[in-house]
Amino acid sequence: MLLLMSLLACAPELQEETAPIPMPEVWGTQPAIDHDPAEDVVEYHLEASMVEIQLADGEKTEVLAYNGQLPGPLLQARVGDTLRVVFENQLDEATTIHWHGLRIENAMDGVPAVQDPVEPGETFIYEFAVEDAGSYWYHPHMRTYEQLDRGLYGLLTVHEKDPPKVDQERYFALDDMRLNDDNSISRYTLTRPDGRIGRYGNRLVINGQLELLTDTIRPGAVERWRLVNTASARTMWFSVDGASMRIVGTDGGLLPEPYESSRVQLPVGQRYDIEVIVDADAEAVQLQLQLPNDQGRFDTYPLFEAIVEGEPSTTQAPDWSGGPLPEIREAEQEIELILDLEVGARRDQWTINGDVHHEENHEHIHVIGNTPTHVILRNESLFEHPFHLHGQFFQILSRDGEDPKEPGLKDTVLIAGEQEIVLYSEFENPGVWMVHCHILEHGELGMMIEMDVTDGTDKDSSTGFGAP
């Protein structure tokens, strides 16, 4: 290593090409420790276990956690790195880790369809290359409605090769929890109402805390804030007070151009990167949660407040352009997914194309990969669904025939009751991939299906289609 450093010092051009980009300093969640000294490999150790934490005054709350913290440690990598996670299960039940939003090899996706569950006391090593810069997160994909809600989740970032320069990166995991008077977590049920509308908490949680997060921020500072909705069912809206806000990135990374917005809808599972620039006359900057009330308006809940103080920042707003989005070509393939509800005497079932996932005879959807494809989502129920597609990105073409003006690459989209959405994807990542509603109770009650994506080599050259 000393010899290598000496050579690099004598060869600035070589150093520029090979030296890894340092991980930026972050605020809001504890970064994990990299256990591998290699420049293009990051290795993290995660342990899932049951722990007690002090969420509120009084009794401690028994949660499930990665490395004993809520949320789990921040995992960071750079585009092109190999990410290795040595995972140990110290729970009394089987579990997995799913890397929400990452386009990785299928065998590492962390779902029972492609991986044997990690049993109590067992260790499993996840290892894969990360090629897409963006804000992601990780969580189990077994008994998700309980394991995730009890605390098994964490944030994951893949940094750009040349990250935009800002004064500070801040990370916010937005959640809610349903606590009893003694601070214990309320019991889980799949019967109504939770099985129908999803589990809503009675306490708002940000970065694992119930109280307002606080810090300081420099006058005129330019910051990058990464937000993810990790709740079980609650759609959230957020706004920023005391600063300008621009949307610079979505699920799949930076946008071609930022855009301004005063209030942004954040469905379950989705992520946004925002640029925050402190107003000239601001005394404080707040991240505010906006939730609709019974009067059709929004109530405001401050989640984070930074007092403006210190030396003024000289940082200029960076060029946020992530380059052009993939070209939308004429579709050669069409997939229809019908989301619906089967009402039961005691418990409902949620379906995709009439199939309930946990039933043995449910069918897979066969997809020709590397093919321009329209995915038609038709919600025939009255309830909204945050639709999540594993292993692929898509663009939103229309909502009920209208341009929704929702730019960017996505892996999660909220579909309202009795709505139709058309998505575009070329399914560039072959494998068996899950599609499901990210209201956790809906997925557990059947609204989940597998897509078998080929690599596209079986296309009939005369028609552009292949045999399923």
Side-chain angles (χ1 to χ4, degrees):
M1 180 60 74
L2 289 176
L3 176 60
L4 175 61
M5 292 177 64
S6 177
L7 290 173
L8 290 177
C10 298
E13 293 184 1
L14 178 63
Q15 185 176 12
E16 183 177 347
E17 292 178 1
T18 61
I21 301 164
M23 301 294 187
E25 293 187 7
V26 302
W27 184 96
T29 182
Q30 181 67 38
I33 298 172
D34 180 7
H35 292 269
D36 193 308
E39 293 180 347
D40 57 354
V41 177
V42 284
E43 179 180 305
Y44 299 119
H45 297 176
L46 290 181
E47 178 185 281
S49 64
M50 183 179 296
V51 297
E52 289 187 339
I53 62 173
Q54 193 72 57
L55 268 178
D57 292 340
E59 298 294 324
K60 290 185 176 182
T61 302
E62 193 176 78
V63 301
L64 306 183
Y66 293 114
N67 293 6
Q69 60 189 79
L70 180 68
L74 170 67
L75 308 185
Q76 299 182 87
R78 297 156 293 237
V79 168
D81 281 352
T82 294
L83 177 60
R84 181 185 305 124
V85 177
V86 181
F87 171 60
E88 184 177 347
N89 180 15
Q90 290 299 325
L91 304 174
D92 59 4
E93 60 182 306
T95 189
T96 62
I97 302 181
H98 165 58
W99 314 98
H100 185 119
L102 284 180
R103 294 195 299 181
I104 57 178
E105 59 181 291
N106 192 204
M108 295 287 107
D109 194 43
V111 299
V114 297
Q115 176 197 343
D116 290 335
V118 185
E119 298 293 339
E122 289 185 348
T123 297
F124 184 86
I125 298 176
Y126 293 94
E127 185 168 339
F128 45 83
V130 288
E131 303 296 341
D132 300 308
S135 300
Y136 307 100
W137 62 303
Y138 60 96
H139 61 76
H141 225 282
M142 292 188 63
R143 290 180 56 81
T144 317
Y145 74 104
E146 182 173 344
Q147 291 189 4
L148 192 161
D149 187 79
R150 292 182 68 185
L152 283 179
Y153 63 87
L155 306 186
L156 188 159
T157 293
V158 180
H159 297 286
E160 297 86 2
K161 291 184 177 179
D162 185 17
K165 303 299 187 295
V166 294
D167 290 300
Q168 181 71 71
E169 279 201 18
R170 299 186 192 267
Y171 289 69
F172 299 99
L174 281 58
D175 194 8
D176 62 3
M177 297 182 74
R178 186 183 298 175
L179 300 181
N180 299 316
D181 292 340
D182 62 357
N183 293 336
S184 63
I185 297 177
S186 175
R187 72 180 184 90
Y188 292 88
T189 176
L190 293 173
T191 56
R192 291 188 286 266
D194 287 358
R196 182 164 292 187
I197 64 173
R199 180 182 173 97
Y200 279 65
N202 55 11
R203 304 295 297 272
L204 294 174
V205 182
I206 180 165
N207 292 357
Q209 297 188 38
L210 303 182
E211 304 299 328
L212 178 73
L213 298 180
T214 59
D215 196 29
T216 60
I217 191 169
R218 296 169 64 187
V222 179
E223 298 195 347
R224 180 180 192 168
W225 293 6
R226 301 177 187 256
L227 295 89
V228 56
N229 183 348
T230 65
S232 294
R234 187 189 297 275
T235 297
M236 303 186 186
W237 289 255
F238 67 85
S239 61
V240 173
D241 184 63
S244 66
M245 176 178 74
R246 292 196 299 171
I247 308 302
V248 299
T250 56
D251 296 350
L254 293 178
L255 295 167
E257 294 183 4
Y259 65 92
E260 294 184 0
S261 182
S262 59
R263 181 169 59 216
V264 180
Q265 184 185 60
L266 186 63
V268 173
Q270 268 199 356
R271 290 88 64 207
Y272 278 102
D273 285 20
I274 62 174
E275 173 200 71
V276 174
I277 303 179
V278 178
D279 291 342
D281 59 349
E283 297 181 356
V285 176
Q286 281 190 349
L287 172 64
Q288 299 176 335
L289 181 66
Q290 307 277 339
L291 295 179
N293 57 33
D294 295 338
Q295 289 74 45
R297 302 184 182 90
F298 282 84
D299 293 327
T300 300
Y301 303 88
L303 298 178
F304 165 69
E305 181 175 80
I307 303 301
V308 180
E309 63 180 34
E311 291 294 321
S313 169
T314 59
T315 301
Q316 301 297 310
D319 177 10
W320 290 103
S321 175
L325 295 172
E327 177 188 1
I328 295 178
R329 301 185 291 167
E330 183 177 354
E332 300 176 17
Q333 182 174 220
E334 186 175 283
I335 300 166
E336 185 177 61
L337 300 175
I338 300 175
L339 315 180
D340 207 353
L341 170 68
E342 290 184 359
V343 178
R346 292 189 63 253
R347 196 161 89 170
D348 300 327
Q349 290 186 321
W350 290 97
T351 64
I352 297 180
N353 292 350
D355 281 342
V356 177
H357 182 261
H358 56 257
E359 294 182 350
E360 292 184 1
N361 62 345
H362 83 274
E363 296 185 3
H364 290 204
I365 295 172
H366 297 273
V367 181
I368 305 168
N370 295 295
T371 301
T373 305
H374 282 173
V375 179
I376 301 172
L377 291 180
R378 183 171 296 119
N379 186 3
E380 297 191 349
S381 77
L382 299 174
F383 301 87
E384 68 181 21
H385 302 288
F387 167 88
H388 175 47
L389 172 61
H390 288 210
Q392 322 288 333
F393 290 136
F394 54 77
Q395 297 182 63
I396 305 172
L397 297 184
S398 66
R399 288 182 182 269
D400 290 334
E402 301 292 331
D403 181 358
K405 294 181 171 57
E406 299 174 55
L409 295 176
K410 312 267 189 176
D411 53 66
T412 308
V413 61
L414 185 69
I415 181 169
E418 299 184 322
Q419 188 176 62
E420 181 177 290
I421 296 179
V422 179
L423 311 175
Y424 178 86
S425 178
E426 298 202 1
F427 288 92
E428 299 165 313
N429 196 9
V432 178
W433 300 103
M434 303 298 299
V435 177
H436 63 93
C437 175
H438 222 284
I439 292 178
L440 304 181
E441 288 71 25
H442 291 185
E444 192 71 19
L445 289 172
M447 190 171 275
M448 188 179 302
I449 203 165
E450 289 93 357
M451 281 189 175
D452 295 350
V453 181
T454 70
D455 62 6
T457 58
D458 57 351
K459 286 184 184 179
D460 182 316
S461 60
S462 64
T463 65
F465 290 86

Short mmCIF file of all heavy atoms in Angstrom, two decimals, residues 23 54 58 83 122 125 129 147 160 178 223 228 263 270-271 336 363 392 413 463 468:
data_model
loop_
_atom_site.label_atom_id
_atom_site.label_comp_id
_atom_site.label_asym_id
_atom_site.label_seq_id
_atom_site.Cartn_x
_atom_site.Cartn_y
_atom_site.Cartn_z
N MET A 23 -16.14 9.25 0.32
CA MET A 23 -17.54 9.32 0.70
C MET A 23 -17.80 10.67 1.38
O MET A 23 -17.01 11.11 2.22
CB MET A 23 -17.88 8.19 1.68
CG MET A 23 -17.64 6.79 1.16
SD MET A 23 -18.71 6.34 -0.22
CE MET A 23 -18.27 4.61 -0.41
N GLN A 54 -35.05 3.73 23.47
CA GLN A 54 -35.85 4.75 24.16
C GLN A 54 -36.48 5.65 23.11
O GLN A 54 -35.91 6.65 22.69
CB GLN A 54 -34.97 5.57 25.11
CG GLN A 54 -35.76 6.43 26.10
CD GLN A 54 -36.44 5.58 27.17
OE1 GLN A 54 -35.78 4.83 27.88
NE2 GLN A 54 -37.76 5.71 27.29
N GLY A 58 -40.70 7.22 29.39
CA GLY A 58 -41.32 6.05 30.01
C GLY A 58 -40.61 4.78 29.62
O GLY A 58 -39.38 4.71 29.53
N LEU A 83 -20.40 -3.91 -3.86
CA LEU A 83 -20.95 -3.77 -2.52
C LEU A 83 -21.13 -5.17 -1.94
O LEU A 83 -21.81 -6.01 -2.51
CB LEU A 83 -22.29 -3.05 -2.56
CG LEU A 83 -23.05 -2.88 -1.24
CD1 LEU A 83 -22.23 -2.09 -0.24
CD2 LEU A 83 -24.39 -2.19 -1.48
N GLU A 122 -28.08 -17.99 11.11
CA GLU A 122 -27.34 -18.16 9.87
C GLU A 122 -26.75 -16.83 9.39
O GLU A 122 -27.20 -15.75 9.77
CB GLU A 122 -28.22 -18.74 8.77
CG GLU A 122 -28.60 -20.20 8.98
CD GLU A 122 -29.36 -20.78 7.81
OE1 GLU A 122 -29.82 -20.01 6.93
OE2 GLU A 122 -29.52 -22.01 7.78
N ILE A 125 -24.04 -13.81 2.64
CA ILE A 125 -23.26 -12.71 2.08
C ILE A 125 -23.92 -12.24 0.78
O ILE A 125 -24.05 -13.00 -0.18
CB ILE A 125 -21.80 -13.12 1.81
CG1 ILE A 125 -21.12 -13.51 3.13
CG2 ILE A 125 -21.04 -11.98 1.13
CD1 ILE A 125 -19.70 -14.02 2.95
N ALA A 129 -22.42 -5.61 -7.92
CA ALA A 129 -21.92 -4.33 -8.41
C ALA A 129 -23.06 -3.32 -8.43
O ALA A 129 -24.22 -3.67 -8.66
CB ALA A 129 -21.34 -4.49 -9.82
N GLN A 147 -41.89 -7.21 10.02
CA GLN A 147 -40.45 -7.02 10.23
C GLN A 147 -40.01 -5.60 9.89
O GLN A 147 -39.23 -4.98 10.63
CB GLN A 147 -39.66 -8.04 9.42
CG GLN A 147 -39.79 -9.47 9.93
CD GLN A 147 -38.83 -10.43 9.23
OE1 GLN A 147 -37.99 -10.04 8.42
NE2 GLN A 147 -38.95 -11.71 9.55
N GLU A 160 -22.57 9.54 -7.21
CA GLU A 160 -22.15 9.77 -8.59
C GLU A 160 -20.63 9.75 -8.70
O GLU A 160 -19.91 9.96 -7.72
CB GLU A 160 -22.67 11.12 -9.09
CG GLU A 160 -24.18 11.24 -9.15
CD GLU A 160 -24.81 11.68 -7.84
OE1 GLU A 160 -24.06 11.94 -6.87
OE2 GLU A 160 -26.05 11.77 -7.78
N ARG A 178 -47.19 2.65 15.30
CA ARG A 178 -48.40 2.57 16.14
C ARG A 178 -47.98 2.03 17.51
O ARG A 178 -47.66 0.85 17.65
CB ARG A 178 -49.45 1.67 15.51
CG ARG A 178 -50.79 1.67 16.25
CD ARG A 178 -51.76 0.69 15.63
NE ARG A 178 -52.08 1.04 14.26
CZ ARG A 178 -52.85 0.29 13.47
NH1 ARG A 178 -53.34 -0.87 13.93
NH2 ARG A 178 -53.10 0.67 12.23
N GLU A 223 -27.56 22.81 0.10
CA GLU A 223 -27.53 21.46 0.66
C GLU A 223 -28.31 20.48 -0.22
O GLU A 223 -29.20 20.88 -0.98
CB GLU A 223 -28.08 21.43 2.08
CG GLU A 223 -27.27 22.28 3.05
CD GLU A 223 -27.58 21.96 4.51
OE1 GLU A 223 -28.60 21.28 4.79
OE2 GLU A 223 -26.80 22.40 5.37
N VAL A 228 -36.81 9.48 2.00
CA VAL A 228 -37.46 8.23 1.63
C VAL A 228 -38.62 7.99 2.58
O VAL A 228 -38.53 8.27 3.78
CB VAL A 228 -36.47 7.04 1.66
CG1 VAL A 228 -35.79 6.92 3.00
CG2 VAL A 228 -37.17 5.73 1.31
N ARG A 263 -44.73 21.80 -2.64
CA ARG A 263 -45.12 20.64 -1.82
C ARG A 263 -45.03 19.40 -2.70
O ARG A 263 -45.54 19.39 -3.81
CB ARG A 263 -46.52 20.81 -1.25
CG ARG A 263 -46.95 19.63 -0.37
CD ARG A 263 -48.23 19.93 0.38
NE ARG A 263 -49.34 20.25 -0.50
CZ ARG A 263 -50.28 21.16 -0.21
NH1 ARG A 263 -50.23 21.82 0.92
NH2 ARG A 263 -51.26 21.39 -1.06
N GLN A 270 -41.02 5.51 -2.20
CA GLN A 270 -40.39 6.43 -3.13
C GLN A 270 -39.31 7.26 -2.45
O GLN A 270 -39.29 7.41 -1.23
CB GLN A 270 -41.43 7.37 -3.75
CG GLN A 270 -42.01 6.87 -5.04
CD GLN A 270 -42.68 7.98 -5.85
OE1 GLN A 270 -42.76 9.13 -5.42
NE2 GLN A 270 -43.16 7.63 -7.02
N ARG A 271 -38.43 7.83 -3.29
CA ARG A 271 -37.37 8.71 -2.80
C ARG A 271 -37.32 9.98 -3.65
O ARG A 271 -37.64 9.96 -4.84
CB ARG A 271 -35.99 8.04 -2.89
CG ARG A 271 -35.79 6.91 -1.91
CD ARG A 271 -36.25 5.59 -2.44
NE ARG A 271 -35.49 5.15 -3.59
CZ ARG A 271 -35.96 4.34 -4.53
NH1 ARG A 271 -37.20 3.89 -4.45
NH2 ARG A 271 -35.20 3.96 -5.54
N GLU A 336 -50.37 -5.84 -19.15
CA GLU A 336 -51.47 -5.27 -18.38
C GLU A 336 -51.49 -5.88 -16.99
O GLU A 336 -51.45 -7.11 -16.84
CB GLU A 336 -52.80 -5.52 -19.08
CG GLU A 336 -53.97 -4.84 -18.39
CD GLU A 336 -55.29 -5.04 -19.13
OE1 GLU A 336 -55.71 -6.21 -19.29
OE2 GLU A 336 -55.87 -4.04 -19.57
N GLU A 363 -49.88 -17.35 -11.32
CA GLU A 363 -49.07 -17.39 -12.54
C GLU A 363 -48.03 -16.28 -12.55
O GLU A 363 -48.24 -15.21 -11.99
CB GLU A 363 -49.98 -17.26 -13.78
CG GLU A 363 -50.95 -18.42 -13.96
CD GLU A 363 -51.74 -18.31 -15.24
OE1 GLU A 363 -51.48 -17.35 -16.01
OE2 GLU A 363 -52.60 -19.17 -15.49
N GLN A 392 -35.87 -3.01 -12.09
CA GLN A 392 -36.00 -2.23 -13.31
C GLN A 392 -36.37 -0.79 -12.94
O GLN A 392 -36.89 -0.51 -11.86
CB GLN A 392 -37.12 -2.78 -14.22
CG GLN A 392 -37.24 -4.28 -14.28
CD GLN A 392 -36.12 -4.97 -15.05
OE1 GLN A 392 -35.52 -4.39 -15.94
NE2 GLN A 392 -35.83 -6.23 -14.70
N VAL A 413 -44.55 3.88 -8.03
CA VAL A 413 -45.49 4.90 -8.45
C VAL A 413 -46.80 4.69 -7.71
O VAL A 413 -47.24 3.55 -7.51
CB VAL A 413 -45.71 4.87 -9.98
CG1 VAL A 413 -46.28 3.53 -10.44
CG2 VAL A 413 -46.61 6.01 -10.43
N THR A 463 -41.19 -10.21 -35.94
CA THR A 463 -42.27 -9.55 -35.21
C THR A 463 -41.80 -8.73 -34.03
O THR A 463 -42.52 -7.88 -33.54
CB THR A 463 -43.27 -10.61 -34.68
OG1 THR A 463 -42.59 -11.41 -33.70
CG2 THR A 463 -43.80 -11.48 -35.78
N PRO A 468 -43.38 -16.68 -24.81
CA PRO A 468 -43.29 -16.51 -23.36
C PRO A 468 -42.79 -17.76 -22.68
O PRO A 468 -42.85 -18.83 -23.23
CB PRO A 468 -44.73 -16.18 -22.95
CG PRO A 468 -45.58 -16.75 -24.05
CD PRO A 468 -44.76 -16.70 -25.30
#
